[in-house]
Amino acid sequence: MASRVDAVLKKLPDQLASIESEYTRDLAAKQMSDDLLHDIARLIEDCQRVLDWTATDLDHRFGKAVDRSPYFGMG
């Protein structure tokens, strides 16, 4: 059984291809669509989710530290 990280990582190339296609379409129309904005946000969320899961898995494997969070920071 594939890990949750692998499952999300497997989908990223398809998500990116869809974004590139939508971007090309929207560029020609000179208007950014709601679909493109949503798909970009979803790609970013999925990438952050993979980083969070990886950090949490490392935390579980190697022990927690009081000076860090097991979540990937955004800022």
Side-chain angles (χ1 to χ4, degrees), residues 1-53:
M1 183 167 114
S3 75
R4 59 188 178 183
V5 169
D6 291 335
V8 173
L9 288 175
K10 225 184 272 188
K11 293 288 188 179
L12 293 180
D14 291 338
Q15 285 179 281
L16 186 56
S18 177
I19 288 169
E20 289 172 344
S21 174
E22 291 171 10
Y23 174 78
T24 300
R25 180 198 65 212
D26 290 358
L27 187 61
K30 297 183 181 181
Q31 176 86 23
M32 190 176 261
S33 67
D34 291 342
D35 288 340
L36 176 58
L37 293 172
H38 175 268
D39 289 346
I40 290 169
R42 180 60 192 233
L43 177 74
I44 292 168
E45 290 167 358
D46 284 348
C47 289
Q48 183 179 2
R49 185 173 295 116
V50 165
L51 291 170
D52 284 343
W53 288 339

